[in-house]
Amino acid sequence: MKYAAVVTQNDDGWTIPLVAIAVDLVILTIRSAALHVLLVERAEMPYEGKPALPGGFLATESEDLDTAAARELTEETGLRAEWLHLEQLRTYGTPNRDPRGRVVSVSYLAIVPDLPEPEAGGDASDANWMPVRQVLRRRAGLAFDHDRILTDGLEHARRKLEHTTLATAFCPPQFTVTELRNVYEIVWGVRLDHRNFYRKVTGTRDFLVPTGTQTKQHGGRPAALFRRGTATALYPPILRGSST
Amino acid sequence: MKYAAVVTQNDDGWTIPLVAIAVDLVILTIRSAALHVLLVERAEMPYEGKPALPGGFLATESEDLDTAAARELTEETGLRAEWLHLEQLRTYGTPNRDPRGRVVSVSYLAIVPDLPEPEAGGDASDANWMPVRQVLRRRAGLAFDHDRILTDGLEHARRKLEHTTLATAFCPPQFTVTELRNVYEIVWGVRLDHRNFYRKVTGTRDFLVPTGTQTKQHGGRPAALFRRGTATALYPPILRGSST
DNA sequence: CCCATTTTGCGTCAACATGACATGAAGTCT
DNA sequence: AGACTTCATGTCATGTTGACGCAAAATGGG
C-alpha cells in the first residue's frame, strides 16, 4: 500500500492525519455443538497465510460503515445482512496495529444460524468455520490484533445473551426450547437446568411464539416449535453463573 | 479544510479512501440535582456559533484513539483522565455527517464528579455545562450528528448503572448512600425507595467500603461516608423500573 | 408386544430477593 | 422542649430462582 498523502490541513493551518478505515467482522455460529467463528486465510502480505477475521477497507469515499460491514458479510458468507443480527462492536486504532500504515478498524459482530457450508468468495483466498476454543487457546493465532477483537466480540455476545433475546439469532426460523438452551450452554460453556430454563423462557412475555407444530421424532417426546417473539430485552435477565 | 489527497492504493491497484478521524466526548456530571453535559460553542465553520460536543481530530499520525480522547478531556475540563471513567462508546461514519468531507468520529463517554467550574481551554471558544433535558428537548440543538451521539451516550450510561458500579464515578472520593441514590434517581429520572436502596447497595459485596467517618450536620442524622469498593459488576443488577 | 431409554413438559418446595412501609436514631431549627 | 429532617434498621407479603421429582410421548431392542 502506498500513500499518496497522509495529511491534510484545516483553515488554521493545522495538520490533520488521514487514515484508512477497515471493517472487521466477528461472525459467530454454532456447528456440531460448538461455537465457531468464520476465519479467512490472508492471501497477501502482511501476515500472508495467517488466519484472520473477514474484513476489508471501505470500498469508496461514500460508503457507509454499516454498509461496508454488510457488504463484507455477504461477500464472505453469501448471506443477506437484512435477515441477520449485525451490530457495531468497537473501534481499534492503535498506531502500529497494521504494519502498512495507520489503519483504524471498526469491528462488527454478526450472529448467524448454522449454515450448510461456508462460501469462499470475495478477496479472501479461503473461508472456514473454526471452533472458537481452539482459536483462542493459542496466543497470536490470528493476524493483526484480531485475537483481541475476537475476545472482545465473544465477551460482548456472552453478555448480550443475559439481557437480550440475541440467542434466537443463532437459531433457525423455527426452533425448540432445547435448541435455544443449547445456545446458552454452548456460548457460556455451562450447564443449565432444562426444567428451569423451560419455565423461564416460556414465561417471558413475547420471547417465544408457539407455532402449534412439533418436531419429528428423534428418540424422545416431540418438542413444540417456536418462532422469535417481538421482545428484544429480557426483564428480568438470565444471569450467567445461575442455573436458570 | 483542504484535502491534499483523499485516496491511496494497495498493491493490487485498488483505491482506498482516506478519511479524517475525530474523537467526540460525551462528558456527563451532576450539578444542582440535574444531569449536565459539557458543550462547547463552535468557533469555526461549519456550524459556527452552534453548541457541540467537545472533540477534535487526531493530533498526529501516531496518536492513539484513547490518548486523543484523554487529551481532549484534559483540554476541556482540566481533569486527568487517569482518575476518571473514560470509555469508548461507538463510531459514527455516515458519509455526509461533516460537510467538510469524510470524517469518521469515535465517540467516548466520560463520567466526572461535580466540578467547581468548567475551564474553557483548548481550541473551544467556550465550554459550559448544560442540562441534558434542556439540550435534548429541542431537536437539532447540537452541531453535526451530536444530538444522536449524546442520546446514545446517555442510554449507554443509563444501562450501565444497572449492572455496574458506574454510578460511583459521579461521586466524589467519599460519599453517602443518599448521594449515590441521587445519582440513580437523576440519571434514570425515577424515585427510588431510600430504605430498599440502602439495603441493596450496602448488601452488595465490595460495592461500598465504610470509611468509619460521618458527614457533618446539615439538618438531619449524620450519614456514614463510603469509598468505592473493588467491585465493577453488580450481581444481581439494580433494574430500572423497579423501586429497589 | 413389552419394557428400557430418551426427551419434553409440568409440578413442588425451600431459599432468596424484592416492593411497600413502619419505626427508631441522631442530628438541626425555632 | 418540641417540631422537623435525614439516616439506619426491621418487618412482612410477594415473586423469582435453584434443585429436583415425575408423568407424557416418542424410539428401539428383544
Side-chain angles (χ1 to χ4, degrees):
Chain A
M1 185 161 66
K2 315 177 197 75
Y3 281 114
V6 294
V7 299
T8 186
Q9 289 189 338
N10 67 6
D11 295 335
D12 291 342
W14 287 92
T15 175
I16 298 174
L18 293 181
V19 309
I21 298 286
V23 294
D24 288 310
L25 274 64
V26 178
I27 310 174
L28 299 178
T29 197
I30 291 177
R31 291 169 65 85
S32 36
L35 189 63
H36 283 62
V37 60
L38 191 69
L39 298 180
V40 299
E41 187 171 323
R42 282 191 56 80
E44 307 173 4
M45 292 293 293
Y47 298 103
E48 186 176 344
K50 266 224 161 192
L53 296 176
F57 293 103
L58 286 186
T60 70
E61 170 81 10
S62 63
E63 187 178 46
D64 188 52
L65 295 176
D66 292 353
T67 306
R71 172 177 55 77
E72 293 286 346
L73 177 62
T74 302
E75 287 178 5
E76 304 293 350
T77 67
L79 290 170
R80 298 286 179 91
E82 308 109 47
W83 298 100
L84 305 168
H85 180 88
L86 180 64
E87 65 172 323
Q88 191 188 113
L89 266 178
R90 61 163 291 160
T91 299
Y92 301 83
T94 305
N96 293 321
R97 57 179 297 280
D98 190 319
R100 293 168 295 185
R102 188 72 192 269
V103 176
V104 169
S105 168
V106 183
S107 66
Y108 282 78
L109 174 68
I111 308 289
V112 304
D114 196 354
L115 298 177
E117 262 308 305
E119 316 186 0
D123 49 354
S125 61
D126 201 8
N128 285 296
W129 292 110
M130 292 289 295
V132 170
R133 285 188 74 92
Q134 180 179 321
V135 173
L136 289 182
R137 188 137 38 196
R138 41 188 176 140
R139 294 274 146 247
L142 302 182
F144 305 107
D145 51 359
H146 288 187
D147 283 305
R148 173 70 190 287
I149 297 177
L150 173 57
T151 301
D152 289 352
L154 187 58
E155 176 54 28
H156 186 89
R158 283 176 172 153
R159 191 165 316 190
K160 280 203 96 169
L161 288 198
E162 293 189 313
H163 54 269
T164 74
T165 59
L166 178 65
T168 59
F170 283 100
C171 299
Q174 300 209 353
F175 53 91
T176 66
V177 172
T178 298
E179 289 179 290
L180 185 64
R181 178 167 50 83
N182 283 334
V183 171
Y184 280 89
E185 293 183 337
I186 290 168
V187 175
W188 284 350
V190 299
R191 296 275 300 171
L192 300 178
D193 185 279
H194 56 97
R195 296 153 293 189
N196 292 338
F197 185 85
Y198 190 94
R199 176 182 62 192
K200 174 76 174 181
V201 297
T202 56
T204 300
R205 277 188 45 136
D206 301 325
F207 190 7
L208 301 181
V209 179
T211 63
T213 56
Q214 299 202 142
T215 51
K216 299 303 174 192
Q217 300 75 323
H218 52 91
R221 177 174 172 175
L225 284 167
F226 295 86
R227 287 183 289 107
R228 295 178 245 283
T230 55
T232 57
L234 293 181
Y235 282 93
I238 304 175
L239 298 180
R240 273 183 284 187
S242 72
S243 76
T244 290
Chain B
M1 184 162 67
K2 316 177 196 74
Y3 281 114
V6 294
V7 298
T8 186
Q9 289 189 337
N10 67 6
D11 295 335
D12 291 342
W14 287 93
T15 174
I16 298 174
L18 293 181
V19 309
I21 299 286
V23 294
D24 287 311
L25 274 63
V26 177
I27 310 175
L28 299 178
T29 197
I30 292 177
R31 291 170 65 86
S32 32
L35 189 64
H36 283 62
V37 60
L38 190 70
L39 298 180
V40 299
E41 186 170 324
R42 284 192 55 80
E44 307 172 5
M45 291 293 292
Y47 298 103
E48 185 176 344
K50 266 224 162 193
L53 296 175
F57 294 102
L58 287 186
T60 69
E61 170 81 9
S62 63
E63 187 178 45
D64 188 50
L65 295 176
D66 292 353
T67 306
R71 172 178 54 77
E72 292 287 347
L73 178 61
T74 301
E75 287 178 4
E76 304 293 350
T77 67
L79 290 170
R80 298 285 179 92
E82 308 110 45
W83 299 100
L84 304 168
H85 180 88
L86 181 63
E87 65 172 321
Q88 192 189 111
L89 266 179
R90 62 162 291 159
T91 298
Y92 301 83
T94 305
N96 294 320
R97 58 179 296 280
D98 191 318
R100 292 168 294 184
R102 188 73 192 268
V103 177
V104 169
S105 168
V106 183
S107 66
Y108 282 79
L109 173 68
I111 308 289
V112 304
D114 195 355
L115 297 176
E117 262 309 305
E119 315 187 2
D123 48 356
S125 62
D126 202 7
N128 285 296
W129 292 111
M130 292 290 294
V132 170
R133 286 187 75 92
Q134 180 179 321
V135 173
L136 290 182
R137 189 138 36 196
R138 40 187 177 144
R139 296 272 147 247
L142 301 183
F144 305 106
D145 51 0
H146 288 186
D147 283 305
R148 173 70 190 287
I149 298 177
L150 174 57
T151 301
D152 289 353
L154 188 58
E155 176 54 28
H156 186 89
R158 282 176 172 153
R159 192 165 317 192
K160 280 203 96 169
L161 288 197
E162 293 188 314
H163 53 270
T164 73
T165 60
L166 179 64
T168 60
F170 283 100
C171 299
Q174 300 210 353
F175 54 90
T176 67
V177 171
T178 298
E179 289 179 290
L180 184 64
R181 177 167 50 83
N182 283 334
V183 172
Y184 280 89
E185 292 184 336
I186 290 168
V187 175
W188 284 349
V190 299
R191 295 276 299 172
L192 300 178
D193 185 280
H194 56 100
R195 296 155 293 188
N196 292 338
F197 184 84
Y198 190 94
R199 175 182 62 192
K200 174 75 174 183
V201 296
T202 56
T204 300
R205 276 188 45 137
D206 301 324
F207 190 7
L208 302 181
V209 179
T211 63
T213 56
Q214 299 201 141
T215 51
K216 298 304 174 191
Q217 300 75 320
H218 51 92
R221 176 173 171 175
L225 284 167
F226 295 86
R227 287 183 289 106
R228 296 177 243 283
T230 55
T232 57
L234 293 182
Y235 282 95
I238 303 176
L239 297 180
R240 272 183 285 186
S242 73
S243 76
T244 289

